[in-house]
Amino acid sequence: MLGVIVRNVSKFFGEKHVLKDIDLEIPSGHIYGLLGPSGCGKTTMVKIIAGILEVSSGEVYVLDQRMPQLGLMNKIGYMAQSDALYGSLTAAENLSFFGSLYRMNKAEIKKRTAEVMELVNLTEDLHKPVQAFSGGMKRRLSLAMAIMHHPSVLVLDEPTVGIDPLLRKSIWEEVNKLAAQGVTILVTTHVMDEADKCHSLAMMRD
């Protein structure tokens, strides 16, 4: 089964032609890397797949449904390149807020918060305000939020930027575990050793 299908997708911003006739097929349980230099359109492509942007032409299907599709949003985890966090709230409050958006109940939120914070090695920082976090800690919390609701499709836009090598290794171990459980994972990167960890790669340029 295919988790993501992209057919003949183009995207314009005004006169600027950002994506040209993109075709992709990503099987379920697959880690798919989108490799290319900054500015080549990787983020635009993953935002379209995540349902944040619409195509100018072409079609995108996620879990056999055409995107964008509001009803599918609770099955997609998206980690943006820039951290979408509320600085005045604690890590626990951020996770609780996003959990409630995904219609998780209080018991689920509490259990899953403990699991994801342990995974990203932030358990001791659960009740600290996010504005006191370093850049690397914010990236780790963003990852925790992206997987909070057990998504079937996970989109990670340069997930390990600013993260130390040891933690990067543990994050990739978790990504592999998720793929083994059938989660479809799309990762953008311009780092070759990360590209090497993907099952398949597409290269973007110009």
Side-chain angles (χ1 to χ4, degrees), residues 18-74:
V18 178
L19 297 175
K20 300 178 184 179
D21 304 324
I22 305 286
D23 286 291
L24 289 176
E25 289 189 352
I26 307 176
S28 298
H30 216 66
I31 304 171
Y32 199 96
L34 211 50
L35 180 67
S38 296
C40 71
K42 299 189 300 297
T43 294
T44 300
M45 187 69 254
V46 298
K47 280 184 174 178
I48 287 171
I49 290 169
I52 297 163
L53 292 175
E54 291 190 59
V55 299
S56 299
S57 62
E59 299 172 325
V60 175
Y61 294 88
V62 173
L63 304 173
D64 291 330
Q65 294 190 56
R66 188 160 180 181
M67 295 296 283
Q69 180 81 252
L70 192 60
L72 261 190
M73 299 311 273
N74 64 347

Side-chain angles (χ1 to χ4, degrees), residues 89-134:
L89 300 181
T90 65
E93 288 166 341
N94 270 277
L95 289 166
S96 179
F97 173 68
F98 276 86
S100 66
L101 289 182
Y102 292 119
R103 297 180 183 169
M104 297 168 73
N105 64 42
K106 284 185 179 177
E108 280 179 304
I109 288 171
K110 188 176 179 182
K111 178 176 179 286
R112 191 62 180 147
T113 293
E115 290 170 355
V116 296
M117 289 298 273
E118 186 178 350
L119 164 72
V120 297
N121 199 21
L122 285 174
T123 303
E124 291 179 11
D125 304 289
L126 189 57
H127 300 294
K128 284 184 187 171
V130 169
Q131 61 200 10
F133 280 24
S134 68

Side-chain angles (χ1 to χ4, degrees), residues 169-182:
K169 183 172 180 282
S170 73
I171 285 170
W172 270 98
E173 283 169 2
E174 182 62 21
V175 167
N176 279 298
K177 276 187 213 162
L178 291 168
Q181 292 163 15

